[in-house]
Amino acid sequence: MTSIRDGKAATDNAFLRNCWQVAAFANELDVAFLARRILNEPLILFRAGNGDVAALEDRCPHRLVPLSSGHRVGDALQCAYHGTVVAADGSCTKIPGQSSIPRNSATRAYPALDRYGLIWVWMGAPDLADANLVPDLRWLSHPEWVSSTFYMHFEADYRLVTDNLLDLSHETYIHQSTIGNREEESIADFRVTLAHEADRRIFCRREMSNIEPPPMWSATCPMADRIDRLQIASYVAPGINMTEAGYRIAGETTEYNVFLRVMHLLTPETEHSTHYFSASSRNYALRDAALTSAITDGTIRTFKEDKYILELQQRALFECPDQHVPKMSIVLDAGPIQGRRLLTAAIAREQADPTYVAPPLSLVRELDHLGSERAQVQA
Ligand code: FES
Ligand SMILES: [Fe+2]
């Protein structure tokens, strides 16, 4: 298992590069530019006049001053220090006081594109970037779905966040006032079924019969006092996590209603901090803006509870650089351990063969049964 605190070695082994990662929500580029560190590299992102997205190394080719300390000039960036201008493709187009442009003047440009309301960036070998490899999250921009979205920053390793998302038993303890439950019987008492696919994806499925609805669910969506609750946590390396939440009246044998399909798109900022892009999607009550806001607010509250614990855990790991987690492995760690194995194997494979690109994996097939249904709560 990859240690999260091995200095340089940890940095080298921490990231998968030949894949698309979420750099921003598309509407974050409704400004001149956005500076964001991704996989430990400083980037500056902006949208050109023709709608294309540019992602450049946020360093001036002259003296490395961040381009983000300068300003936008048309579809280019002008450095704050001596006024050098860098175009959207990274080429240097103007140097004050001279007409010639040195040959080594280009700034690194990263492949980037806009899809599903998200800005995706390819941090690996540029020649390998293929738009067909963007993970299929089509419901995020589908007219029969609506999403509650927000960005959050965690001062914690993205792998700790994935560990958290692959073991949702913590809801009983961390999330009592949001998506947990207060009953004596805890979520951990309901068994998880674990499935693997293509060595790159896992599913952790848990059905909880005759349980009280979580407070956040009851507050946002009318449902019975006792429900059978379905929870599926899926993971595709390196940072695509999804939680499907469903319910039906306790004891019924009907299909589960979809309450929410929650995407947790994790992009490492550094090996110890994470950009967390959240999208909770539903296919009912599409025009209920108040419900969309209530879900956003409830999910933010919920994720702040995770953030608190995970940042505490990260700080504890800083104090114990020789420790690995889990230090003591328990039954609940099955999903997180499998997730780490998938990720570690993918990174090792890429490092052995820098031209390796994992084939695309879709989450949609497993969701077809959800997409064709309507939850009972209609607009
Ligand atoms: S550092 Fe940017 S122009 Fe000199
Ligand atoms: Fe949580």
Side-chain angles (χ1 to χ4, degrees), residues 339-366:
R340 290 279 190 133
R341 282 193 184 139
L342 288 192
L343 177 65
T344 304
I347 292 172
R349 185 160 183 182
E350 184 181 281
Q351 293 194 339
D353 175 7
T355 66
Y356 174 73
V357 179
L361 282 176
S362 172
L363 290 162
V364 170
R365 188 171 56 77
E366 290 74 17

Side-chain angles (χ1 to χ4, degrees), residues 60 62-65 79-84:
C60 175
H62 178 219
R63 287 179 176 269
L64 304 183
V65 168
C79 178
Y81 197 176
H82 310 99
T84 289

Side-chain angles (χ1 to χ4, degrees), residues 118-329:
L118 299 160
I119 304 300
W120 300 82
V121 65
W122 183 279
M123 301 298 289
D127 294 349
L128 301 176
D130 176 349
N132 293 318
L133 295 171
V134 174
D136 186 350
L137 309 179
R138 69 183 71 171
W139 61 92
L140 294 183
S141 54
H142 192 284
E144 291 184 12
W145 288 78
V146 65
S147 299
S148 304
T149 60
F150 61 89
Y151 166 86
M152 202 175 269
H153 182 266
F154 276 33
E155 286 291 337
D157 187 316
Y158 75 105
R159 291 162 293 190
L160 296 180
V161 188
T162 296
D163 291 345
N164 167 279
L165 292 166
L166 287 176
D167 167 24
L168 296 171
S169 69
H170 71 263
E171 290 177 349
T172 300
Y173 305 99
I174 296 182
H175 300 305
Q176 279 207 356
S177 64
T178 50
I179 56 168
N181 61 340
R182 300 188 189 88
E183 294 177 288
E184 258 178 49
E185 188 173 44
S186 72
I187 290 174
D189 291 320
F190 296 96
R191 264 198 125 48
V192 167
T193 309
L194 195 60
H196 300 245
E197 199 171 303
D199 290 333
R200 251 185 88 223
R201 177 168 45 184
I202 58 176
F203 304 95
C204 303
R205 180 187 176 99
R206 176 184 269 124
E207 292 186 53
M208 294 159 270
S209 57
N210 192 22
I211 195 169
E212 65 178 9
M216 180 199 149
W217 291 24
S218 315
T220 50
C221 182
M223 60 180 70
D225 291 342
R226 307 291 296 179
I227 60 169
D228 292 339
R229 183 177 172 190
L230 171 71
Q231 185 181 74
I232 305 174
S234 313
Y235 172 60
V236 176
I240 309 290
N241 292 271
M242 178 169 70
T243 311
E244 290 167 80
Y247 70 94
R248 64 186 173 209
I249 296 171
E252 288 199 343
T253 54
T254 54
E255 289 289 319
Y256 287 98
N257 295 301
V258 186
F259 178 60
L260 284 177
R261 181 186 295 175
V262 185
M263 295 308 302
H264 318 262
L265 304 167
L266 309 178
T267 301
E269 177 185 52
T270 68
E271 62 270 49
H272 304 128
S273 56
T274 301
H275 301 296
Y276 196 142
F277 301 92
S278 170
S280 299
S281 306
R282 66 182 196 275
N283 62 350
Y284 55 90
L286 300 181
R287 288 178 295 281
D288 189 340
L291 177 59
T292 304
S293 297
I295 292 171
T296 303
D297 294 346
T299 315
I300 289 174
R301 242 184 11 258
T302 304
F303 290 5
K304 280 184 175 171
E305 293 164 341
D306 293 303
K307 176 178 161 74
Y308 171 72
I309 289 289
L310 293 174
E311 292 184 349
L312 283 178
Q313 185 190 17
Q314 181 68 73
R315 286 200 286 278
L317 283 159
F318 281 145
E319 290 172 6
C320 310
D322 300 327
Q323 299 278 2
H324 298 255
V325 288
K327 183 177 178 189
M328 168 191 72
S329 185

